[in-house]
Amino acid sequence: MLLSGANICYYLLDKGHLSVQSFIDGDFSVHFSPSRNNNFIINKAASNPLFVKQARNQDWEKQETLRHEATCYWLANNEPEYGNLKRFLPQYFEYDYINHILVLEYLQHAVPLDEYYAQAGVFPAVLAEKKAELLASYHKDIFTKIKNGRSFSLFKQSIPAVFMLVGNRQKFWTDGNNAAERQMLELINDEPQFTRLVGEVKESWQATSLIHSDIKAANFLISINASHGSATDNLRLIDWEMADIGDPCWDVAAVFQMYFISWIYSELNDGPGSNNPQSSMYYHKLLPAIRHFWDSYCGHMNYSAGQAEENLLKTMNFCALKLIHTCFESTTTSEHLPPSSAKMLQLSLNMLKSPEEAIQTLLDMELYVK
């Protein structure tokens, strides 16, 4: 069954997610919001709106990733080991395995974090703290609880695709025969240290935690106070299609990357600027949030000083790879390498060459553990 605006009401009635009374009262509405999947917002302005996601017909890959996301929601709601995660997710109602349909709560008065940052122009410490608490909720203890349990086999323990830049697997990135992607690979291969450093970072990967694997600002939803339009600390994380058992520093690196990319685009939008963040007024708005996020995360993870510095070094290296991955994602339809991608590539190389210097320059922090 493929859902549409015409038949979704009958499907939800049959499943018990809608009442006949809502139709009698004239409260029923459907908003179609397609993306990688077919998405529907049901009764958007009512008291109990729904978000319905269905994999597109005959798309096996989308069906599989949606099933995996639904499994994560089910685990958070039904398995005690995953219980800490539940409060950071939209409410889960059902997954229809036959028709590949996921039914969740629709979060009213919530906006993606990238939209909030763009509109507000500020990076509140309370949101940095909440992001740290959220990540630690599934990084800290879940792995030790599930590694010998039945749910562990649900995760593939794959390594990120960007590691395919090492060795003979670079063709993975050129299957689309895109000119901008080829230009990026030429730049990477022209720098002898690039692939060697990526290979060294690959060796540091440790699968010791549940990770989201697709952390980005658009996947965080922040609630907005309906009465006066201000942000609350009510943060949710969505799109768990790529969740896996992996290295927790990969998710942390993605949060760092969110801030760094915001700075890069601000520099490009404001015209030619310095590559040194210390001279950027915009970056000085970001820095307290980055520092607060990291300090809060270390606190929630109960890191010792040595553990904090060891993981910060790894996080900076992973962040460099996240920047490379973002470059490839941003060039899928381009014939020329965008200026933002060139700047990201240069920043990633600098970070890989000397993560210690990157920590000092980007975070204004010194490392003491060698």
Side-chain angles (χ1 to χ4, degrees):
M1 176 184 185
L2 188 63
L3 294 179
S4 67
N7 67 16
I8 193 171
C9 60
Y10 302 109
Y11 175 83
L12 294 173
L13 277 170
D14 182 62
K15 291 290 186 177
H17 297 303
L18 288 178
S19 67
V20 175
Q21 190 64 41
S22 65
F23 291 94
I24 297 174
D25 295 340
D27 292 335
F28 181 76
S29 66
V30 180
H31 292 79
F32 183 50
S33 178
S35 60
R36 289 176 299 178
N37 301 288
N38 290 332
N39 302 324
F40 302 86
I41 303 170
I42 309 300
N43 297 345
K44 185 175 183 179
S47 57
N48 295 297
L50 300 173
F51 183 77
V52 181
K53 180 189 290 191
Q54 183 178 34
R56 292 179 178 174
N57 198 26
Q58 305 303 318
D59 191 329
W60 179 88
E61 183 180 356
K62 295 294 189 295
Q63 292 172 359
E64 180 64 17
T65 56
L66 184 60
R67 180 202 62 78
H68 187 68
E69 179 179 21
T71 298
C72 293
Y73 278 101
W74 188 93
L75 290 170
N77 282 267
N78 292 278
E79 293 290 335
E81 295 86 351
Y82 299 83
N84 287 340
L85 184 58
K86 181 179 178 181
R87 61 196 172 104
F88 294 109
L89 303 177
Q91 185 177 353
Y92 167 79
F93 294 110
E94 182 182 6
Y95 182 63
D96 180 343
Y97 284 83
I98 303 299
N99 295 298
H100 314 289
I101 298 170
L102 176 62
V103 183
L104 303 170
E105 164 195 21
Y106 174 71
L107 298 170
Q108 290 177 315
H109 312 302
V111 298
L113 201 53
D114 53 347
E115 290 185 19
Y116 170 76
Y117 284 149
Q119 293 169 8
V122 294
F123 302 88
V126 66
L127 295 186
E129 160 72 30
K130 206 66 179 178
K131 277 185 279 189
E133 181 186 0
L134 197 164
L135 267 61
S137 74
Y138 63 90
H139 283 173
K140 186 177 179 182
D141 296 321
I142 290 180
F143 180 81
T144 56
K145 295 176 180 177
I146 69 171
K147 63 180 180 180
N148 296 317
R150 59 183 181 177
S151 67
F152 195 77
S153 62
L154 298 172
F155 300 98
K156 298 178 180 178
Q157 301 185 57
S158 303
I159 63 171
V162 71
F163 286 121
M164 293 183 183
L165 286 171
V166 178
N168 61 357
R169 305 193 68 184
Q170 281 196 1
K171 63 180 182 179
F172 172 86
W173 294 101
T174 56
D175 285 346
N177 201 31
N178 178 276
E181 290 178 349
R182 292 197 301 272
Q183 187 180 356
M184 280 186 57
L185 281 176
E186 288 173 4
L187 290 173
I188 289 172
N189 290 327
D190 284 346
E191 174 53 63
Q193 295 187 72
F194 231 134
T195 53
R196 177 181 64 79
L197 292 168
V198 171
E200 291 176 1
V201 174
K202 182 181 178 181
E203 294 302 313
S204 72
W205 180 267
Q206 295 178 302
T208 60
S209 173
L210 175 67
I211 63 173
H212 181 277
S213 295
D214 194 25
I215 294 285
K216 54 188 175 185
N219 284 341
F220 286 104
L221 297 181
I222 179 67
S223 293
I224 302 297
N225 190 306
S227 61
H228 50 80
S230 63
T232 72
D233 64 354
N234 191 10
L235 196 64
R236 299 288 186 271
L237 183 57
I238 60 172
D239 282 356
W240 288 78
E241 296 178 354
M242 297 174 62
D244 206 348
I245 300 298
D247 197 310
C249 290
W250 190 249
D251 281 353
V252 179
V255 175
F256 278 23
Q257 182 204 29
M258 286 165 44
Y259 291 115
F260 297 157
I261 287 178
S262 183
W263 164 59
I264 288 172
Y265 281 113
S266 75
E267 291 287 294
L268 293 171
N269 291 337
D270 293 340
S274 169
N275 287 325
N276 182 4
Q278 303 300 332
S279 64
S280 167
M281 293 300 295
Y282 186 88
Y283 197 82
H284 282 287
K285 293 168 62 176
L286 289 170
L287 184 57
I290 303 172
R291 293 282 301 269
H292 192 74
F293 164 76
W294 175 248
D295 291 342
S296 298
Y297 180 78
C298 290
H300 285 294
M301 295 294 288
N302 295 327
Y303 283 160
S304 66
Q307 288 173 322
E309 294 199 350
E310 179 182 349
N311 283 297
L312 184 55
L313 278 169
K314 183 190 286 192
T315 294
M316 293 303 284
N317 280 323
F318 283 175
C319 187
L321 300 191
K322 295 288 294 184
L323 287 167
I324 297 172
H325 197 180
T326 299
C327 289
F328 279 104
E329 290 181 329
S330 65
T331 57
T332 53
T333 59
S334 301
E335 289 303 313
H336 302 285
L337 192 65
S340 59
S341 295
K343 192 159 187 173
M344 286 182 209
L345 273 182
Q346 185 59 58
L347 179 59
S348 67
L349 178 58
N350 293 342
M351 293 167 73
L352 287 170
K353 283 181 175 178
S354 180
E356 297 89 350
E357 184 177 346
I359 289 168
Q360 182 177 6
T361 303
L362 295 170
L363 303 182
D364 196 22
M365 293 171 59
E366 296 282 353
L367 286 181
Y368 299 101
V369 176
K370 302 298 182 181

